[in-house]
Every structure is written in structure tokens, then in C-alpha cells.
Amino acid sequence: MRTRPTFGFIVTWGLTNPYSSPMWWGAVEAAEALDVNLVGFGDINIYDLERNRSLYWQIQSATLDGLVLVNPTIPHLHREVFGPLPVVNIGLSTEDVVTSILVDNHEGMRAAVRHMIEIHGRRRLAFIKGPANNPDSTERFRAYEEELQYHGLPVDPDLLYQPYDWSPTGGREGVHALLDERGVQFDALVAANDNMALAAMAELQSRGLRVPYDVAVSGFDDAIESATSTPP
């Protein structure tokens, strides 16, 4: 008979990812404080749905008392695999009966864009979106549009870039598209996450543009790396 509860922590793109790692270590601290067992499960590719499905099926639900899911990428799969096991979901809204802890994407991004406009006086704000058909990405872009419109600024399609995913590649390719392919001018760049913002900032700097003097840069997530970058 097990005397200590055992909880699973599932991240479909790895426990060491900059986004998921702080949540994992937070779960570790809570498990120690509550004197419970914690088992981490992680994969490396959030967009490989078959790999994610395989990861779920390898977990023995009979050995667990509950699950924490971070951004599940296959809707309802946890019910198919784990049945009535108690589940808490972080980061992505699900339609079935699951307790979810969500980020306020809309108001958070509006605050970032507002800061650029009202505090730094920027008027041409480029935007690097998140992946298409992603609810977090959609909400953050909608907030960008609304805040520009609130300040009477146009939403210029030439200042928008759509990457494939949330990775740093999107930040680098976004700057390349804006400067090299379109030749547009902008005094601020807002990225839908910190991974892309940091990569975009490095790309701007490699071209001799000073951040934040020539181009101010903002991301989203408050990743540890954002506080230790140059500039932070």
C-alpha cells in the first residue's frame, strides 16, 4: 500500500525548457513542502502530436494520484488515457472539466504595448506573432491590435510577421523579413514571447541597431533570460 500520494507532472516539450523549467521547480518545492512524490514526464517536441500521444500512453495512471499538465497539445487526450484521475492544467484552456491555471494573455500584452507607446513614445510597433491557430498567440495579437487602435495608431500588415512556432528562429526570421525583405522602418518590436524577443534583439544588434535607443524590444513570459540579457 502506498502511504505518500504520487503526482505526475507532464510537459510535452521537456522539463528543461525555459518556459516550463520554472514551473517544474516550483512543483518540486511544493512536493517537498507537502511530503508527496513527484514524477516528471517530458518530451522534446510540442508540435509532434504522435510523439506526445506516445508519451501519454507510456505513463501508468494506476501508479498516480493526480496529474499536472502544462499546455496539453491534444485536447481531451488526458481523459482518454487517464480516465477519472484528478487533473490540473497550466497554460492552455481545455473544454472538458479540468481545473486550469491560465495566463491573462490579453491584458498582459495590452500592458506591454501600452508601455511602449505611453512611456517610450513609440509609434511604429512591429509585432512578431506566435504560431497560427494557437489560442495564446491569438489573444496576444488581438491585444496588440486593440492597444494600437486605442491610441489611434494603424495596424500595418507590413509590420507583422507570422512564425511557425514559439522558438527563437521566429525572432531572427522576423527581423530578416521586416528589414531585408520589406525594408520597413519601426521604432519598437513586440514579440509574442521572450524566446523570439531575445533572438530578435540579438539580430537587431548584429545589424548595428541599438536596443532600446533605435528599436525598443518587448517580449512576453518574464523568462529568467529576459532579466539577464543585454539589455535586460
Side-chain angles (χ1 to χ4, degrees), residues 58-141:
Q58 291 178 45
I59 298 170
Q60 301 296 315
S61 60
T63 65
L64 301 175
D65 296 289
L67 280 173
V68 177
L69 299 177
V70 179
N71 280 21
T73 53
I74 306 177
H76 315 302
L77 180 61
H78 53 281
R79 289 299 184 206
E80 177 186 338
V81 178
F82 303 115
L85 199 64
V87 173
V88 174
N89 163 59
I90 299 175
L92 189 64
S93 179
T94 58
E95 296 177 359
D96 48 0
V97 183
V98 172
T99 298
S100 296
I101 301 171
L102 306 177
V103 172
D104 191 343
N105 292 292
H106 185 260
E107 290 306 311
M109 183 55 79
R110 285 202 66 161
V113 175
R114 186 183 313 124
H115 180 83
M116 288 287 195
I117 297 170
E118 296 183 356
I119 304 301
H120 297 290
R122 306 303 164 118
R123 290 296 179 267
R124 285 186 59 79
L125 284 71
F127 190 84
I128 299 178
K129 303 178 181 181
N133 302 317
N134 177 283
D136 288 348
S137 173
T138 299
E139 275 298 290
R140 293 175 196 182
F141 178 61

Side-chain angles (χ1 to χ4, degrees), residues 22-83:
M23 287 186 271
W24 164 246
W25 288 110
V28 169
E29 291 180 11
E32 291 174 345
L34 297 168
D35 193 30
V36 299
N37 300 322
L38 182 68
V39 183
F41 304 95
D43 209 329
I44 59 173
N45 191 344
I46 187 174
Y47 295 101
D48 188 336
L49 299 186
E50 288 307 312
R51 173 175 282 180
N52 290 346
R53 184 181 294 274
S54 175
L55 171 65
Y56 275 41
W57 281 108
Q58 291 178 45
I59 298 170
Q60 301 296 315
S61 60
T63 65
L64 301 175
D65 296 289
L67 280 173
V68 177
L69 299 177
V70 179
N71 280 21
T73 53
I74 306 177
H76 315 302
L77 180 61
H78 53 281
R79 289 299 184 206
E80 177 186 338
V81 178
F82 303 115

Side-chain angles (χ1 to χ4, degrees), residues 87-218:
V87 173
V88 174
N89 163 59
I90 299 175
L92 189 64
S93 179
T94 58
E95 296 177 359
D96 48 0
V97 183
V98 172
T99 298
S100 296
I101 301 171
L102 306 177
V103 172
D104 191 343
N105 292 292
H106 185 260
E107 290 306 311
M109 183 55 79
R110 285 202 66 161
V113 175
R114 186 183 313 124
H115 180 83
M116 288 287 195
I117 297 170
E118 296 183 356
I119 304 301
H120 297 290
R122 306 303 164 118
R123 290 296 179 267
R124 285 186 59 79
L125 284 71
F127 190 84
I128 299 178
K129 303 178 181 181
N133 302 317
N134 177 283
D136 288 348
S137 173
T138 299
E139 275 298 290
R140 293 175 196 182
F141 178 61
R142 184 169 71 89
Y144 162 84
E145 290 183 304
E146 289 182 5
E147 197 63 30
L148 288 187
Q149 292 165 356
Y150 176 80
H151 287 88
L153 299 174
V155 178
D156 184 348
D158 285 340
L159 294 179
L160 308 177
Y161 179 74
Q162 176 72 71
Y164 171 72
D165 58 19
W166 296 103
S167 71
T169 301
R172 292 190 293 269
E173 293 180 348
V175 171
H176 170 73
L178 293 167
L179 294 180
D180 300 336
E181 297 176 7
R182 304 175 195 172
V184 294
Q185 294 184 338
F186 50 94
D187 56 10
L189 187 149
V190 180
N193 79 342
D194 284 347
N195 275 342
M196 296 187 294
L198 291 166
M201 184 169 68
E203 185 67 22
L204 290 168
Q205 292 170 325
S206 74
R207 295 162 181 263
L209 291 168
R210 301 170 302 160
V211 179
Y213 306 105
D214 298 323
V215 180
V217 176
S218 176

